[in-house]
Amino acid sequence: SPSFIVAIDGPAASGKGTLARRLAATLGFAHLDTGALYRAVGLSLLRAGHAPEDGAAAIAAARGLDAATVLPLMNDPALRQDVVAVAASKVSVVPEVRAALLDFQRDFANHPPGGAPGTVSRGAVLDGRDVGTVVCPQAPAKLFVTADVEVRARRRLSELRNTGAEAIYDAVLEDMKVRDARDSQRAVAPLKPAVDAFLLDTSMMDADQAFIAAMDFIRSRP
Ligand code: C5P
């Protein structure tokens, strides 16, 4: 039977990553954080000494990524740095970079790996910006997770402070607005809800409430 795909999109710090991991664990599905792919491209550019605006270098880096290089990188704390997030959002405007990452994402969604090598899962949860609109428009369950930008900035601020970093609310809020604008205004695959996405505004919800609402929606899908 075909893989059951759960597509979760939304802006930075909306809670979509936490939600996606918990849904995948509960459903026994594989999980792919698609933002990590763009971060991996950004990180490899920075490490090679290229500017994140260098489109040709970004395309070469994206074409050079495969499962063997990307999957071990996924949990690398270096991917989580803000400088890498900014580089990711810059490389993600290049159409050829997006095209180069498409097959990997679709293959993961349609043939989700299982927990043990050589096994498969019955489904996949992918989170990002364009999973429901571009990567897997046929997914039976699409969610668009949002929260007010001030709420997201406060969440990101406490995440940063929890890791011991110094952070200022106004600067975090400003960064969030710049990244939102770049993600929603780009020409190719901008951040927007699929027409049939379930809208989940987590501004007034904690992680448990968001999880329950998402599970109710997924259970209602064929
Ligand atoms: O989700 P995360 O913050 O890790 O994503 C980093 C950047 O990668 C985003 O700001 C966005 O520009 C880009 N991205 C994307 N399409 C995706 C996932 C992430 O363009 N599906």
Side-chain angles (χ1 to χ4, degrees), residues 9 12 16 33-36 38-39 80 85 88-90 92 98 105 127-131 135 156 179 183 186 189:
D9 293 303
K16 65 182 190 307
D33 166 8
T34 66
Y38 292 90
R39 286 170 184 262
R80 296 296 129 207
S89 102
K90 289 180 178 169
S92 73
R98 307 199 67 85
Q105 297 174 79
D127 72 280
R129 301 290 188 288
D130 64 340
V131 181
V135 181
R156 177 51 51 84
R179 200 138 72 92
D183 287 348
R186 68 178 173 228

Side-chain angles (χ1 to χ4, degrees), residues 82-166:
D82 265 5
V83 55
V84 174
V86 171
S89 102
K90 289 180 178 169
V91 304
S92 73
V93 305
V94 181
E96 294 91 339
V97 168
R98 307 199 67 85
L101 300 179
L102 211 46
D103 282 349
F104 181 84
Q105 297 174 79
R106 287 189 176 149
D107 194 54
F108 188 100
N110 292 317
H111 309 281
T119 62
V120 294
S121 295
R122 283 176 300 111
V125 180
L126 280 75
D127 72 280
R129 301 290 188 288
D130 64 340
V131 181
T133 50
V134 175
V135 181
C136 301
Q138 83 293 5
K142 299 175 193 165
L143 293 99
F144 192 83
V145 184
T146 54
D148 297 338
V149 69
E150 291 83 5
V151 173
R152 292 187 285 116
R154 246 178 277 126
R155 287 178 188 161
R156 177 51 51 84
L157 186 70
S158 58
E159 274 171 25
L160 289 169
R161 287 185 177 159
N162 284 339
T163 67
E166 302 261 346

Side-chain angles (χ1 to χ4, degrees), residues 42-52 54 57:
L43 180 63
S44 71
L45 277 194
L46 296 175
R47 282 187 173 162
H50 296 291
D54 185 338

Side-chain angles (χ1 to χ4, degrees), residues 28-85:
F29 288 2
H31 170 232
L32 180 65
D33 166 8
T34 66
L37 303 175
Y38 292 90
R39 286 170 184 262
V41 175
L43 180 63
S44 71
L45 277 194
L46 296 175
R47 282 187 173 162
H50 296 291
E53 293 81 8
D54 185 338
I59 294 166
R63 290 186 180 152
L65 290 185
D66 57 18
T69 50
V70 152
L71 293 174
L73 249 186
M74 289 303 217
N75 298 313
D76 189 332
L79 281 191
R80 296 296 129 207
Q81 301 169 76
D82 265 5
V83 55
V84 174

